[in-house]
């Protein structure tokens, strides 16, 4: 089955065409249309390891962006499809499903209403995700549309993990609680690890680390998320590219008061001006920071140190939450490609049974590998993620499960 995966943000549409079936999934093409709202934007599309097309385009809205994506997929230079009707399903990345969605959902009017109900929880994401859905439904009315939520995997969190110690009535009224994100990626790491061990996922206690621009960790017991580092929004938890992660709320109030910052400016400062970028004052990009730190830049070195230290603290916390762990797993641009960061995170954790094999760690860049020393009690793995592929698989899974229910 050919599945179009759409990730519609405020300024761009990322897309991928995935062929799924018989346990063999392949990315046929992927691309990016940006910036939305521009008369002089760019549409690009490529076949992995093959041809690439880039063309200038006027992109007033999501509708035009998705139309461009479909046109490029069918162009002879790309040739991923002959006609749009070949696309049987569309998987939509939806950031926030609140507490309404434990699983991906085939989109119906009721599902759209439920997603609209979650807009207040993710005002920067859900409206654009939805606008992409409406546009693609108009362009591909024959296809099945499925919403795949970043939050769904974490709906198994117990109340003690998702409740903030704020006034209960207020939290209930405004649905303020921890939800967690990157669910598709954490779930993939757990399931893939179990597959590699040849045993059911229910047999493992796992600590998974998604380290990209956004970063989060998850404690997984018997295949279920029992705690995760992101909260009501993706701001909580680890230090990220431009997000602060955990910070004393009183420090935020202090800055707002003394700098006379509006809510909007403080929001931008926490989400776009903090994290690795905020500490270093140089970049949100780990590669750049590693280079600067190697040349003796102290702030770059500090940013990296704070980043790794926070991850180590969460490993300790989740080890306690799970009462032990079989493995710690890394993924994301940093988790997959930065042996130096994995080394710093894992050093001197032998009390938890964690010991890296230096050579294995150094050699594992962008590929699946066991990084641990032979006799390490807690294994450490790198398992690359491919979020588009995962969304395509979840889309097919949702359609199969809906098919079973209506049969
Ligand atoms: P996103 O969350 O936007 O999908 P990615 O998962 O691609 O981001 O991760 C981006 C991060 O990965 C950046 O900080 C980048 O510097 C880092 N990264 C990518 N390759 C390497 C590498 N070889 N060494 C260190 N960091 C890397």
């Amino acid at each position: 089955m050919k599945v179009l995966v759409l990730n519609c943000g405020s300024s761009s549409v990322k897309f991928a065409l995935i062929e799924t079936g018989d346990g063999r999934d392949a990315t046929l093409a992927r691309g990016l249309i940006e910036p939305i709202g521009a008369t002089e934007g760019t549409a690009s599309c490529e076949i992995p390891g093959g041809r690439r097309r880039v063309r200038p385009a006027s992109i007033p809205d999501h509708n035009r962006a998705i139309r461009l994506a479909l046109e490029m997929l069918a162009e002879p230079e790309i040739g991923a499809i002959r006609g749009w009707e070949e696309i049987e399903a569309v998987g939509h990345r939806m950031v926030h499903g609140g507490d309404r969605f434990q699983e991906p959902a085939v989109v119906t009017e009721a599902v759209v209403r439920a997603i609209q109900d979650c807009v207040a929880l993710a005002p920067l994401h859900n409206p654009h995700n939805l606008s992409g859905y409406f546009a693609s439904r108009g362009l591909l009315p024959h296809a099945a549309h499925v919403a795949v939520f970043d939050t769904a995997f974490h709906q198994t969190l117990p109340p003690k993990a998702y409740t903030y110690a704020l006034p209960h009535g207020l939290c209930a009224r405004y649905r303020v609680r921890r939800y967690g994100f990157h669910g598709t990626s954490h779930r993939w790491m757990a399931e893939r690890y179990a597959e590699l061990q040849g045993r059911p996922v229910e047999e493992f206690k796992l600590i998974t680390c998604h380290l990209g621009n956004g970063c989060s960790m998850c404690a997984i017991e018997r295949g279920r998320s029992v705690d995760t580092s992101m909260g009501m929004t993706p701001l909580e938890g680890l230090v990220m590219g431009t997000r602060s992660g955990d910070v004393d709320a009183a420090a935020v109030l202090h800055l707002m008061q003394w700098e006379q910052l509006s809510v909007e400016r403080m929001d931008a400062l926490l989400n776009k001006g903090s994290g690795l970028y905020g500490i270093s004052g140089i970049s949100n990009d780990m590669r750049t920071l590693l280079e600067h730190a190697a040349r003796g830049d102290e702030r770059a070195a500090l940013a990296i140190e704070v980043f790794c230290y926070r991850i180590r603290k969460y490993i300790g916390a989740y080890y306690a939450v799970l009462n032990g762990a079989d493995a710690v797993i890394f993924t994301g641009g940093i988790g997959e490609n930065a042996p130096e960061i994995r080394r710093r995170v894992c050093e001197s954790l032998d009390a938890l049974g964690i010991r890296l094999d230096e050579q294995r760690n150094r050699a594992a860049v962008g590929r699946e590998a066991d990084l641990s020393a032979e006799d390490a009690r807690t294994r450490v793995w790198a398992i690359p993620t491919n979020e588009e592929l995962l969304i395509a698989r979840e889309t097919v899974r949702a359609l199969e499960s809906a098919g079973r229910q209506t049969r």
Side-chain angles (χ1 to χ4, degrees):
M1 180 191 281
K2 283 182 177 154
V3 182
L4 176 68
V5 174
L6 287 177
N7 184 352
C8 297
S10 59
S11 64
S12 71
V13 168
K14 290 190 194 134
F15 65 98
L17 187 70
I18 315 272
E19 174 100 59
T20 68
D22 299 337
R24 285 183 297 116
D25 305 328
T27 302
L28 303 180
R30 64 160 68 90
L32 175 67
I33 315 286
E34 67 172 352
I36 307 280
T39 44
E40 293 177 23
T42 312
S44 65
C45 185
E46 65 178 14
I47 299 174
R51 294 182 298 275
R52 181 155 199 263
R53 274 273 285 148
V54 182
R55 63 157 133 134
S58 161
I59 318 167
D61 52 24
H62 285 101
N63 190 40
R64 178 70 193 133
I66 294 169
R67 186 181 279 279
L68 277 164
L70 292 168
E71 283 171 10
M72 290 189 103
L73 287 170
E75 278 176 2
E77 289 88 341
I78 298 294
I81 45 172
R82 282 179 302 270
W84 296 4
E85 66 289 346
E86 275 180 42
I87 296 171
E88 287 180 66
V90 185
H92 298 270
R93 181 181 185 202
M94 290 284 167
V95 168
H96 219 308
D99 53 7
R100 305 285 172 86
F101 296 98
Q102 282 84 43
E103 294 286 340
V106 178
V107 186
T108 59
E109 274 179 34
V111 166
V112 169
R113 276 197 301 277
I115 298 172
Q116 281 165 335
D117 271 353
C118 298
V119 163
L121 294 171
L124 302 179
H125 295 104
N126 276 25
H128 305 292
N129 301 160
L130 270 173
S131 133
Y133 160 71
F134 288 124
S136 61
R137 165 125 266 166
L139 295 165
L140 301 169
H142 62 277
H145 292 257
V146 173
V148 180
F149 300 92
D150 270 23
T151 47
F153 180 60
H154 303 298
Q155 279 298 297
T156 46
L157 254 60
K160 66 183 172 196
Y162 71 64
T163 304
Y164 288 120
L166 293 166
H168 202 71
L170 269 180
C171 288
R173 188 179 326 150
Y174 295 104
R175 296 157 75 195
V176 171
R177 48 157 281 184
R178 309 184 64 255
Y179 293 98
F181 299 83
H182 286 149
T184 332
S185 174
H186 290 295
R187 179 190 171 132
W188 160 250
M189 285 187 266
E191 290 181 355
R192 179 64 188 151
Y193 181 77
E195 193 180 328
L196 288 164
Q197 305 307 310
R199 283 157 55 195
V201 72
E202 286 74 20
E203 291 184 10
F204 296 102
K205 295 176 181 180
L206 301 169
I207 298 173
T208 51
C209 314
H210 179 113
L211 309 178
N213 267 317
C215 299
S216 71
M217 286 175 59
C218 187
I220 302 176
E221 189 168 27
R222 306 173 63 80
R224 293 155 68 88
S225 169
V226 293
D227 206 345
T228 190
S229 58
M230 284 177 168
M232 174 177 150
T233 78
L235 183 59
E236 193 180 344
L238 302 181
V239 175
M240 312 183 208
T242 59
R243 294 189 199 122
S244 64
D246 296 336
V247 65
D248 184 346
V252 175
L253 299 176
H254 183 85
L255 288 177
M256 288 179 83
Q257 187 176 3
W258 292 97
E259 277 287 301
Q260 297 286 302
L261 296 176
S262 64
V263 172
E264 290 74 18
R265 283 187 56 206
M266 193 66 219
D267 186 76
L269 189 147
L270 289 167
N271 279 291
K272 299 197 174 121
S274 299
L276 292 172
Y277 172 71
I279 300 174
S280 70
I282 298 171
S283 172
N284 62 328
D285 192 295
M286 185 56 88
R287 269 168 302 199
T288 311
L289 294 182
L290 285 166
E291 283 161 22
H292 276 75
R295 291 203 296 269
D297 187 295
E298 283 179 15
R299 294 247 310 270
L302 179 64
I304 296 169
E305 206 178 353
V306 177
F307 180 86
C308 294
Y309 180 67
R310 184 82 50 88
I311 299 169
R312 288 166 62 80
K313 284 214 292 195
Y314 270 91
I315 290 180
Y318 288 170
Y319 199 89
V321 164
L322 295 168
N323 188 20
D326 296 292
V328 175
I329 308 172
F330 290 97
T331 202
I334 299 172
E336 293 166 25
N337 301 306
E340 172 63 12
I341 300 298
R342 294 188 305 235
R343 185 187 68 73
R344 291 202 198 183
V345 166
C346 294
E347 76 186 349
S348 307
L349 287 183
D350 37 338
L352 307 186
I354 293 174
R355 219 153 53 75
L356 282 190
D357 178 297
E358 251 185 64
Q359 220 169 342
R360 285 181 179 175
N361 180 43
R362 259 203 316 273
V365 174
R367 67 178 175 82
E368 211 164 70
D370 181 353
L371 314 174
S372 18
E374 220 40 71
D375 58 348
R377 192 174 75 243
T378 305
R379 312 305 294 175
V380 180
W381 274 75
I383 297 186
T385 195
N386 177 341
E387 286 192 282
E388 294 142 354
L389 200 68
L390 300 180
I391 291 175
R393 284 190 191 149
E394 299 258 290
T395 300
V396 173
R397 201 165 60 87
L399 290 173
E400 284 171 355
S401 134
R404 276 196 299 277
Q405 278 162 23
T406 52
R407 236 178 270 146

